[in-house]
Amino acid sequence: MEEKDLEQRVQTVLTEIPPHVLLVAAAKTRTSAEVKTAITHGITAIGYNYVQEAETIHQALEEWGPNRVQWHCIGHLQRNKAKKAVELFDMIETIDSVRIAEAVDNRCAVIGKVMPVLIEINSGRESNKTGVSPDEVRSLVRYVAELPHIRIKGLMTMGPRFGDPEEARPYFRLTKKLFDELAAEKTSRTEMRYLSMGMSNSYVQAIDEGANIVRIGTKLFGDRCNT
Ligand SMILES: *Cc1c(COP(=O)(O)O)cnc(C)c1O
């Protein structure tokens, strides 16, 4: 995409989003030049689905100035990628099992880091493949809360990607309800501060339902050719 176009799109989305909401630019498939342009024009957080891709872009941006933006892991994380992931990311939004939580905790222990994480909820149950089921979220939160190198900071959900965004509301509402219930439980070392939901087609509805992180790709960078 032309730099001017991208600048315009970034500004449009940033002005539409209320100040309490963090915009995470979902940057999969985008070039480092595009990511750099987005950052120059106000993007403060970028999200990656794959550790390898995040690493490539991270390296490309490094000489330009590290720590200019927050790096969020927004894709399903594999255990064998946990080592690199904890080095690269400032937040992992997709913790959905004891196994992945333990892998992240172990790897953080090695490098002396405490990782802020969100618990990913499978709000669509059978229709979504990733995320913990709403019935199991409490026991997962209780377990993960005890891991010394992880701090739970909230919840994330995907919800449906396409179709009428109004139809995503029940998924967002369910996740917000869990968020409020967990906040009321006041589990130790656990904060319900961030609620990450909504993408290009649904962020307006998601914010309306209580999201304070939105993950937006297409609306910023244009259509992806290969996903
Ligand atoms: C790609 C992606 C997004 C952004 O999707 P768009 O429809 O391009 O805005 C958000 N969240 C996750 C987890 C993604 O993989």
Side-chain angles (χ1 to χ4, degrees), residues 96-212:
D96 64 355
S97 71
V98 164
R99 279 158 56 91
I100 194 62
E102 284 180 338
V104 169
D105 182 65
N106 286 336
R107 287 304 179 177
C108 283
V110 174
I111 61 168
K113 182 168 179 174
V114 176
M115 180 65 77
V117 303
L118 306 183
I119 302 294
E120 183 180 351
I121 307 295
N122 182 349
S123 58
R125 295 179 201 249
E126 65 275 20
S127 64
N128 292 18
K129 290 189 189 69
T130 57
V132 61
S133 93
D135 316 318
E136 286 160 19
V137 63
R138 266 179 206 82
S139 58
L140 181 63
V141 164
R142 268 183 226 123
Y143 184 89
V144 174
E146 299 297 321
L147 298 173
H149 295 90
I150 286 187
R151 280 295 165 91
I152 299 175
K153 297 282 182 189
L155 304 181
M156 178 270 212
T157 200
M158 285 287 286
R161 182 84 153 255
F162 302 108
D164 182 352
E166 289 302 320
E167 283 167 20
R169 284 189 192 267
Y171 304 95
F172 297 153
R173 261 177 218 159
L174 170 65
T175 309
K176 175 65 159 73
K177 182 165 167 279
L178 293 169
F179 182 86
D180 290 340
E181 288 169 3
L182 287 162
E185 282 176 26
K186 295 191 164 61
T187 308
S188 65
R189 304 183 72 257
T190 298
E191 230 185 318
M192 285 296 130
R193 179 159 163 209
Y194 297 111
L195 182 55
S196 175
M197 42 189 209
M199 303 182 276
S200 291
N201 72 335
S202 60
Y203 68 95
V204 173
Q205 287 78 7
I207 292 169
D208 199 34
E209 299 293 345
N212 57 14

Side-chain angles (χ1 to χ4, degrees), residues 26 28 49 74 156 158 161 199-200 215-218 224:
K28 56 179 172 273
N49 298 64
I74 62 172
M156 178 270 212
M158 285 287 286
R161 182 84 153 255
M199 303 182 276
S200 291
R215 310 173 311 268
I216 298 182
T218 313
R224 285 181 294 273

